[in-house]
PDB file of all heavy atoms in Angstrom:
ATOM      1  N   SER B1067      58.212  -5.326  74.363  1.00 96.00           N
ATOM      2  CA  SER B1067      58.410  -4.282  73.350  1.00 96.00           C
ATOM      3  C   SER B1067      59.803  -4.310  72.733  1.00 96.00           C
ATOM      4  O   SER B1067      60.082  -3.587  71.782  1.00 96.00           O
ATOM      5  CB  SER B1067      58.213  -2.891  73.971  1.00 96.00           C
ATOM      6  OG  SER B1067      56.955  -2.784  74.554  1.00 96.00           O
ATOM      7  N   PHE B1068      60.686  -5.124  73.295  1.00 96.00           N
ATOM      8  CA  PHE B1068      62.089  -5.068  72.880  1.00 96.00           C
ATOM      9  C   PHE B1068      62.358  -5.923  71.650  1.00 96.00           C
ATOM     10  O   PHE B1068      61.874  -7.046  71.545  1.00 96.00           O
ATOM     11  CB  PHE B1068      62.956  -5.576  74.030  1.00 96.00           C
ATOM     12  CG  PHE B1068      64.441  -5.473  73.787  1.00 96.00           C
ATOM     13  CD1 PHE B1068      65.109  -4.275  73.962  1.00 96.00           C
ATOM     14  CD2 PHE B1068      65.165  -6.583  73.371  1.00 96.00           C
ATOM     15  CE1 PHE B1068      66.482  -4.183  73.752  1.00 96.00           C
ATOM     16  CE2 PHE B1068      66.535  -6.497  73.151  1.00 96.00           C
ATOM     17  CZ  PHE B1068      67.189  -5.294  73.339  1.00 96.00           C
ATOM     18  N   TYR B1069      63.087  -5.385  70.688  1.00 95.00           N
ATOM     19  CA  TYR B1069      63.628  -6.227  69.621  1.00 95.00           C
ATOM     20  C   TYR B1069      64.941  -5.614  69.119  1.00 95.00           C
ATOM     21  O   TYR B1069      65.272  -4.477  69.463  1.00 95.00           O
ATOM     22  CB  TYR B1069      62.632  -6.439  68.480  1.00 95.00           C
ATOM     23  CG  TYR B1069      62.275  -5.220  67.667  1.00 95.00           C
ATOM     24  CD1 TYR B1069      62.969  -4.895  66.500  1.00 95.00           C
ATOM     25  CD2 TYR B1069      61.211  -4.408  68.038  1.00 95.00           C
ATOM     26  CE1 TYR B1069      62.624  -3.789  65.730  1.00 95.00           C
ATOM     27  CE2 TYR B1069      60.855  -3.285  67.291  1.00 95.00           C
ATOM     28  CZ  TYR B1069      61.566  -2.983  66.138  1.00 95.00           C
ATOM     29  OH  TYR B1069      61.235  -1.891  65.383  1.00 95.00           O
ATOM     30  N   THR B1070      65.707  -6.404  68.360  1.00 94.00           N
ATOM     31  CA  THR B1070      66.946  -5.871  67.797  1.00 94.00           C
ATOM     32  C   THR B1070      66.856  -5.955  66.285  1.00 94.00           C
ATOM     33  O   THR B1070      66.127  -6.785  65.736  1.00 94.00           O
ATOM     34  CB  THR B1070      68.180  -6.667  68.257  1.00 94.00           C
ATOM     35  OG1 THR B1070      68.001  -8.024  67.886  1.00 94.00           O
ATOM     36  CG2 THR B1070      68.362  -6.569  69.766  1.00 94.00           C
ATOM     37  N   ARG B1071      67.563  -5.064  65.598  1.00 93.00           N
ATOM     38  CA  ARG B1071      67.651  -5.148  64.138  1.00 93.00           C
ATOM     39  C   ARG B1071      69.045  -4.697  63.727  1.00 93.00           C
ATOM     40  O   ARG B1071      69.718  -3.976  64.459  1.00 93.00           O
ATOM     41  CB  ARG B1071      66.554  -4.304  63.481  1.00 93.00           C
ATOM     42  CG  ARG B1071      66.599  -2.826  63.822  1.00 93.00           C
ATOM     43  CD  ARG B1071      65.410  -2.099  63.184  1.00 93.00           C
ATOM     44  NE  ARG B1071      65.350  -0.709  63.635  1.00 93.00           N
ATOM     45  CZ  ARG B1071      64.245   0.038  63.599  1.00 93.00           C
ATOM     46  NH1 ARG B1071      63.100  -0.464  63.168  1.00 93.00           N
ATOM     47  NH2 ARG B1071      64.268   1.296  63.993  1.00 93.00           N
ATOM     48  N   GLN B1072      69.444  -5.130  62.535  1.00 90.00           N
ATOM     49  CA  GLN B1072      70.800  -4.804  62.096  1.00 90.00           C
ATOM     50  C   GLN B1072      70.899  -3.355  61.660  1.00 90.00           C
ATOM     51  O   GLN B1072      69.952  -2.789  61.116  1.00 90.00           O
ATOM     52  CB  GLN B1072      71.187  -5.708  60.932  1.00 90.00           C
ATOM     53  CG  GLN B1072      71.508  -7.124  61.401  1.00 90.00           C
ATOM     54  CD  GLN B1072      72.438  -7.829  60.448  1.00 90.00           C
ATOM     55  OE1 GLN B1072      72.215  -7.749  59.252  1.00 90.00           O
ATOM     56  NE2 GLN B1072      73.450  -8.492  60.973  1.00 90.00           N
ATOM     57  N   SER B1073      72.048  -2.757  61.923  1.00 86.00           N
ATOM     58  CA  SER B1073      72.288  -1.413  61.402  1.00 86.00           C
ATOM     59  C   SER B1073      72.399  -1.514  59.883  1.00 86.00           C
ATOM     60  O   SER B1073      72.580  -2.596  59.329  1.00 86.00           O
ATOM     61  CB  SER B1073      73.574  -0.842  61.991  1.00 86.00           C
ATOM     62  OG  SER B1073      74.664  -1.618  61.541  1.00 86.00           O
ATOM     63  N   LYS B1074      72.293  -0.355  59.195  1.00 82.00           N
ATOM     64  CA  LYS B1074      72.310  -0.383  57.742  1.00 82.00           C
ATOM     65  C   LYS B1074      73.616  -0.966  57.206  1.00 82.00           C
ATOM     66  O   LYS B1074      73.628  -1.726  56.241  1.00 82.00           O
ATOM     67  CB  LYS B1074      72.111   1.035  57.186  1.00 82.00           C
ATOM     68  CG  LYS B1074      71.423   1.014  55.841  1.00 82.00           C
ATOM     69  CD  LYS B1074      71.209   2.401  55.284  1.00 82.00           C
ATOM     70  CE  LYS B1074      70.519   2.304  53.936  1.00 82.00           C
ATOM     71  NZ  LYS B1074      70.521   3.594  53.241  1.00 82.00           N
ATOM     72  N   ALA B1075      74.715  -0.650  57.883  1.00 79.00           N
ATOM     73  CA  ALA B1075      76.009  -1.181  57.458  1.00 79.00           C
ATOM     74  C   ALA B1075      76.175  -2.649  57.865  1.00 79.00           C
ATOM     75  O   ALA B1075      77.197  -3.258  57.590  1.00 79.00           O
ATOM     76  CB  ALA B1075      77.129  -0.340  58.061  1.00 79.00           C
ATOM     77  N   GLU B1076      75.145  -3.192  58.545  1.00 78.00           N
ATOM     78  CA  GLU B1076      75.134  -4.588  58.991  1.00 78.00           C
ATOM     79  C   GLU B1076      76.296  -4.938  59.908  1.00 78.00           C
ATOM     80  O   GLU B1076      76.689  -6.089  60.029  1.00 78.00           O
ATOM     81  CB  GLU B1076      75.096  -5.543  57.787  1.00 78.00           C
ATOM     82  CG  GLU B1076      73.854  -5.299  56.947  1.00 78.00           C
ATOM     83  CD  GLU B1076      73.534  -6.451  56.009  1.00 78.00           C
ATOM     84  OE1 GLU B1076      74.310  -7.417  55.972  1.00 78.00           O
ATOM     85  OE2 GLU B1076      72.479  -6.386  55.360  1.00 78.00           O
ATOM     86  N   ASP B1077      76.864  -3.899  60.558  1.00 82.00           N
ATOM     87  CA  ASP B1077      78.001  -4.186  61.424  1.00 82.00           C
ATOM     88  C   ASP B1077      77.636  -4.248  62.901  1.00 82.00           C
ATOM     89  O   ASP B1077      78.461  -4.540  63.739  1.00 82.00           O
ATOM     90  CB  ASP B1077      79.116  -3.159  61.207  1.00 82.00           C
ATOM     91  CG  ASP B1077      78.624  -1.744  61.400  1.00 82.00           C
ATOM     92  OD1 ASP B1077      77.376  -1.565  61.555  1.00 82.00           O
ATOM     93  OD2 ASP B1077      79.448  -0.818  61.400  1.00 82.00           O
ATOM     94  N   GLU B1078      76.389  -3.899  63.248  1.00 86.00           N
ATOM     95  CA  GLU B1078      76.014  -4.056  64.657  1.00 86.00           C
ATOM     96  C   GLU B1078      74.507  -4.257  64.800  1.00 86.00           C
ATOM     97  O   GLU B1078      73.727  -3.978  63.896  1.00 86.00           O
ATOM     98  CB  GLU B1078      76.471  -2.858  65.491  1.00 86.00           C
ATOM     99  CG  GLU B1078      75.929  -1.531  64.998  1.00 86.00           C
ATOM    100  CD  GLU B1078      76.346  -0.362  65.895  1.00 86.00           C
ATOM    101  OE1 GLU B1078      76.478  -0.580  67.113  1.00 86.00           O
ATOM    102  OE2 GLU B1078      76.512   0.751  65.378  1.00 86.00           O
TER     103      GLU B1078
END
Side-chain angles (χ1 to χ4, degrees):
Chain B
S1067 303
F1068 185 80
Y1069 67 93
T1070 57
R1071 60 184 173 202
Q1072 285 205 315
S1073 65
K1074 210 180 180 191
E1076 300 197 357
D1077 55 352
E1078 57 177 327

